[in-house]
Amino acid sequence: CGDECNDCSSAGSGDVTGEGAVNVLDVVAIVSVILGGTFADECSEASGDVTGDGVVNVLDVVAIVTSILGGRIDIDDATSASLIKGGNSLTLEANGYIGGLQMTLRHGEAFSIEITDEAMVADYRTDENQTKLVIVAPESNKLFTYIGDFEIMDMIVANSESQIDVNVINIP
């Protein structure tokens, strides 16, 4: 984002709303951008890159949530997980805490999705034959139910600190 980011005192802080505090409003703002929105300005974008990797994604959201919660996760972080696709639902089985996930699905026009409401934030956006979704701090294994078929184009699944490996299991 060029020289403008050098002048941004909140760069990397997570305070994308510019209100001087990092809270759930910043989480919601970043999720909105991941799903296709835009940052208010380049300073907001620089503020959202909490991990400092040059992109704003669910890893930054998870870092913000962890800081909001004071780093206190009552269960151990997951080190591995499996996505199980079958029976018109997608579930996530993990061996510990999942901070969030981001996914891009490709599907036909007859596809529909109902995303979980058991999470800190869960939202999606469909453009033509592609759906992008973000689920932050899921509280149940069931991520969404669907009608139709889809292919997972890309995904990021994170514990409270980093991305973890995920196996995808298709059950006919």
Side-chain angles (χ1 to χ4, degrees):
C1 62
D3 292 335
E4 295 84 3
C5 292
N6 296 333
D7 298 332
C8 179
S9 62
S10 66
S13 69
D15 182 17
V16 299
T17 60
E19 62 190 15
V22 179
N23 56 40
V24 72
L25 296 175
D26 300 296
V27 171
V28 171
I30 293 174
V31 169
S32 175
V33 169
I34 292 169
L35 296 178
T38 58
F39 285 104
D41 54 37
E42 291 181 349
C43 188
S44 292
E45 182 175 358
S47 300
D49 186 13
V50 177
T51 61
D53 61 2
V55 295
V56 178
N57 59 28
V58 74
L59 296 174
D60 300 295
V61 173
V62 168
I64 292 169
V65 169
T66 300
S67 74
I68 290 170
L69 298 176
R72 297 184 202 181
I73 306 300
D74 292 339
I75 58 175
D76 291 334
D77 272 338
T79 56
S80 65
S82 295
L83 276 175
I84 303 161
K85 179 184 175 189
N88 288 359
S89 68
L90 186 72
T91 58
L92 180 66
E93 299 287 335
N95 64 351
Y97 176 75
I98 296 294
L101 61 103
Q102 174 180 330
M103 223 178 271
T104 303
L105 312 175
R106 182 170 56 199
H107 48 75
E109 290 183 25
F111 179 79
S112 67
I113 185 171
E114 187 172 324
I115 197 166
T116 184
D117 59 0
E118 295 182 49
M120 178 182 280
V121 177
D123 205 358
Y124 71 96
R125 179 177 176 181
T126 300
D127 286 319
E128 296 184 12
N129 293 344
Q130 189 167 303
T131 297
K132 208 172 224 188
L133 64 95
V134 176
I135 301 173
V136 180
E139 296 170 7
S140 92
N141 291 349
K142 186 184 277 188
L143 303 177
F144 61 83
T145 57
Y146 60 91
I147 296 172
D149 198 19
F150 66 91
E151 177 184 354
I152 299 171
M153 301 304 298
D154 62 60
M155 74 174 136
I156 300 170
V157 178
N159 57 27
S160 71
E161 296 181 353
S162 61
Q163 185 170 349
I164 63 171
D165 291 328
V166 178
N167 296 317
V168 178
I169 301 168
N170 289 301
I171 299 174

